[in-house]
Structure formats: structure tokens, C-alpha cells
Amino acid sequence: PSLIGWGIILVIGSSSLRLTLIIPWIGIFGGVGLMLFFGMLLQFVPQIIVAERAGTFTAMGRSWELSKGQFGRIFGAWLLLIIAVSIAVSFVGLIFSGIAQGIMGDTIVALAFSQSIAFVLALITIPLGYIGFTLLYYDLAHQAAQRHMPPPMPPMPPPYT
């Protein structure tokens, strides 16, 4: 139920982005910037819902708390994941498309084969983004737990016998 609630919130948010695109300059700079900002700060909501068994709004608050002061790191990881996955998918897709066109010529069958390969690659690579952000979530959660832990006790001297 919490993931469904999160999906509804995402649909509402993307609908509001489309609405702001009616006024071009406000929509382009304001809407996209706000969606990017909130998207980065609320990036970990699905991971928190699953890992911490939290409700939708609790997970949104926790994600906001974890990513406070970490915008650059999260944005950099997001950008790195997009670039790495895009390059990998493009490279593999280009190889298979070239092979298909070399064997089948410039036909609709070669195009269908290329599209099928692109679909399979998307099925493989989309989870890589979730895996990357799940690892980043666990890292941020661990750092937050370290910040809130009391300092360790000093070592005890050995007992005298």
C-alpha cells in the first residue's frame, strides 16, 4: 500500500510539471528545477518503504532527513548512473543493431530485432539504477546512525591478577 501511495504522489507531481510547462519559461526552469530538487531529496522513498517498512509520508520524511546536505552527492551518483548505463546500453545496442543490419539488411525485421534488443537491455539496466540507489541509501543510513550514536566507551584497563 505504501508503494502504491508513493506511485500516486509521483503521478500527481509529474502532472503538475506538465501543467507548468504551459507557461514555458516558468515551466522549463522552475518546474524542472523543482522536480529535480525534490526528486533528489525524495530519491530513497521506495528503499525506505521496503527496508524500514515505513508508510509513504514517513518514508518521505526519512528520505528528506537522510538526504539533507547530501544533494551534490546524490545528484552526482544519479548523473554517474545515467551516464554509465546509457553508454553501456548504447554500446551493446549498437553492436547488436549492426549485426542485425549486416545479416538481415535494412528491413523491418532488423528494426524489430533492434527494438527487441533495446527492450531487453532496458529490462536489464533499469534495476541497476535501483541497485545503485539502494546501496547509496544504505550508506547514508549507516552514516546517519553513526552520527546519532554515543561515542564509544574508552577501553578498559586489563584486570590485575
Side-chain angles (χ1 to χ4, degrees):
S2 296
L3 285 174
I4 292 171
W6 176 242
I8 291 170
I9 290 171
L10 286 178
V11 168
I12 292 170
S14 65
S15 298
S16 66
L17 175 65
R18 284 188 214 111
L19 184 65
T20 60
L21 288 175
I22 293 172
I23 306 170
W25 292 109
I26 295 173
I28 290 171
F29 294 111
V32 173
L34 283 173
M35 289 296 286
L36 182 68
F37 176 74
F38 286 115
M40 293 299 112
L41 293 179
L42 299 175
Q43 182 70 43
F44 305 110
V45 170
Q47 288 87 351
I48 293 169
I49 288 173
V50 172
E52 299 179 13
R53 299 176 190 249
T56 303
F57 293 106
T58 305
M60 289 171 70
R62 175 90 168 116
S63 178
W64 190 276
E65 175 188 313
L66 281 177
S67 51
K68 197 182 300 180
Q70 301 287 332
F71 182 83
R73 182 174 177 202
I74 296 168
F75 182 73
W78 177 75
L79 202 58
L80 184 67
L81 277 170
I82 286 178
I83 291 171
V85 168
S86 296
I87 288 173
V89 167
S90 297
F91 182 71
V92 173
L94 184 65
I95 290 173
F96 279 108
S97 295
I99 291 171
Q101 283 187 343
I103 293 173
M104 298 176 224
D106 216 8
T107 63
I108 193 74
V109 177
L111 179 64
F113 180 76
S114 297
Q115 291 299 314
S116 301
I117 292 298
F119 176 73
V120 170
L121 289 172
L123 288 177
I124 293 169
T125 57
I126 287 173
L128 291 178
Y130 284 107
I131 291 169
F133 278 109
T134 301
L135 292 173
L136 185 58
Y137 155 71
Y138 280 118
D139 184 48
L140 290 175
H142 178 71
Q143 286 179 4
Q146 291 294 324
R147 282 192 303 265
H148 297 298
M149 287 179 59
M153 295 292 292
M156 298 294 291
Y160 295 105
T161 55

